[in-house]
Amino acid sequence: MPQETRQPLRGGVGEAALDAAPQRRPGLPRPRYSLDRRAVYWWMTQNLLVVVPVLAALGAATLFPDTPSWLRLVFAVLCPLGLGYALLTPWWRYRAHRWDAGSEAVSARSGWLTREWRVVPFTRIQTLDTKSGPLQHLFGLAAVTVTTASAAGPVTIDGLDQKLAADIVERLTERVRALHEDGT
């Protein structure tokens, strides 16, 4: 009997990936696919766009002759902390974020400090959207947003390849439409 191997999706979504039954642990599908690796560099760029100007301003302030010594100490402490945050947390986030679009539900796990795991059955989906901001677009990435009537708000899967995101939305839209036409 051949063994099934599961690999993260790269590029396009195959029928087998969307049609495969989700891994089950007592009743709920677990997200099994990782984001596109370019998400790490997208998050890193976002972090650096915030950290570098703050450190540059603080560093410039320490160049004045009458700068208090405590400000130089603050700069010396914040420099490695800020750069460490900007360069290391994206890798942590990448390891934590997972998603899946199984045969019955969309599931997503996100968060790098506080983790959140959300499961949306196809019968509860109201809208499906893709979004790609300027920085995401630069990296060839997009986000898929699954909206329901839940008070918890929409489920967003950030950091997907643009083509993959469009394929997911198209295929999930077809499935949701078929479910609603069946009256379920």
Side-chain angles (χ1 to χ4, degrees), residues 10-167:
R10 306 270 187 236
V13 173
E15 280 296 320
L18 286 175
D19 291 332
Q23 289 179 340
R24 296 213 181 251
R25 300 232 177 145
L28 296 172
R30 294 274 182 193
R32 59 187 165 166
Y33 298 112
S34 59
L35 303 177
D36 192 293
R37 188 168 218 115
R38 291 173 289 178
V40 172
Y41 304 107
W42 168 53
W43 288 322
M44 202 176 292
T45 303
Q46 284 180 315
N47 290 350
L48 288 171
L49 287 172
V50 172
V51 169
V52 168
V54 170
L55 291 178
L58 193 55
T62 62
L63 297 177
F64 294 111
D66 55 345
T67 301
S69 59
W70 63 267
L71 190 58
R72 288 187 178 93
L73 179 63
V74 167
F75 177 69
V77 169
L78 287 183
C79 225
L81 289 177
L83 291 175
Y85 166 81
L87 300 175
L88 298 177
T89 59
W91 292 102
W92 183 275
R93 287 176 74 178
Y94 178 75
R95 288 179 42 105
H97 284 65
R98 295 283 180 269
W99 68 275
D100 199 351
S103 61
E104 301 169 13
V106 174
S107 59
R109 186 180 73 190
S110 62
W112 63 274
L113 188 57
T114 302
R115 299 229 176 133
E116 178 180 55
W117 175 35
R118 306 265 312 270
V119 177
V120 179
F122 289 161
T123 56
R124 305 288 296 167
I125 294 174
Q126 291 183 334
T127 62
L128 292 154
D129 303 298
T130 59
K131 179 178 123 180
S132 183
L135 199 52
Q136 274 179 310
H137 192 69
L138 180 70
F139 284 95
L141 299 172
V144 171
T145 303
V146 180
T147 308
T148 67
S150 170
V155 172
T156 302
I157 305 168
D158 278 321
L160 297 173
D161 178 75
Q162 288 176 340
K163 181 168 178 11
L164 175 61
D167 288 347

